[in-house]
Each structure stands twice: as structure tokens, then as C-alpha cells.
Amino acid sequence: SLTFHWQAMEEEQTDRSNVTFQFTGEDHTLGNSLRYMLMKDPNVEFAGYTVPHPSEPKMNVRVQTHGTSADVAVERALKNISSVCDHVLLTYKKARDEFQSGKTSAKET
């Protein structure tokens, strides 16, 4: 289970459909994946991210939504990323096992 440390910027506490989140200890790997998943959500009008400086372990994600809060959209996008990673892992393990069982069968013949 992954743990993300994030906070919404103070000036945006009242409008939950227009929020900038700051993730600590994250970079372009999560930023680009999260932006992609957010933009697939029909309730998201805008999603973008920045890494202010490579030496700072922070990533900012800007989200604007309609019909749902930005919090809900980000949570849904993170769950989708996790589901994709789970699928890739299962597909890899299946292919690896099939490959290894094929090598075993070839040795026996």
C-alpha cells in the first residue's frame, strides 16, 4: 500500500473544484501518470503538474473539475493508477510463468 503526503494550498480550501495539491517525495513519474488519469475523467476540466526544482522533493498538481470535487477526482485517478500497476504485474507474472514452464517442457523432451 502506497502512502502519499499531500496538502491543498491554503488559499484554495474553500473551492474544492479548483485545487492545487502538493505531493512530497514525488516527481515526474507520478506526476505524468496522475495527469494522464485525471484527464481521462470526464469530470476533470484541467489537470497539470509541475516539479518546481529537481533538488526539492515536491510535485504540484493543479486540478479543476465540474460535477465533483478535485479531491474525489485525484483519489479516483490514484486508484486507477494502482489498478493498472496491478494488472501489469499480473500479466508479467503470467507471461514469466508460461515462459518458464515452456523451458521446463523443452528440457524434458
Side-chain angles (χ1 to χ4, degrees):
S1 167
L2 297 174
T3 303
F4 296 102
H5 300 281
W6 64 270
Q7 65 183 27
M9 301 300 181
E10 284 184 38
E11 64 275 6
E12 298 166 340
Q13 298 281 333
T14 56
D15 182 6
R16 301 311 303 160
S17 66
N18 189 12
V19 179
T20 301
F21 300 91
Q22 187 172 78
F23 289 79
T24 303
E26 298 299 335
D27 59 15
H28 295 283
T29 304
L30 179 65
N32 197 36
S33 301
L34 184 55
R35 182 201 56 78
Y36 175 79
M37 284 298 182
L38 283 164
M39 290 308 299
K40 290 182 62 140
D41 185 335
N43 293 315
V44 174
E45 292 177 0
F46 173 81
Y49 81 97
T50 61
V51 175
H53 193 275
S55 67
E56 288 185 51
K58 295 180 181 178
M59 177 199 50
N60 299 322
V61 178
R62 180 77 173 171
V63 182
Q64 294 176 8
T65 62
H66 57 86
T68 188
S69 71
D71 298 348
V72 169
V74 168
E75 204 171 302
R76 190 171 24 230
L78 289 169
K79 286 179 182 176
N80 287 341
I81 291 168
S82 182
S83 294
V84 168
C85 290
D86 290 343
H87 174 74
V88 169
L89 180 61
L90 289 173
T91 303
Y92 165 76
K93 286 180 177 180
K94 181 180 175 189
R96 180 201 60 202
D97 293 346
E98 287 173 1
F99 176 76
Q100 288 176 341
S101 68
K103 285 175 67 173
T104 304
S105 299
K107 285 181 182 178
E108 293 173 357
T109 58

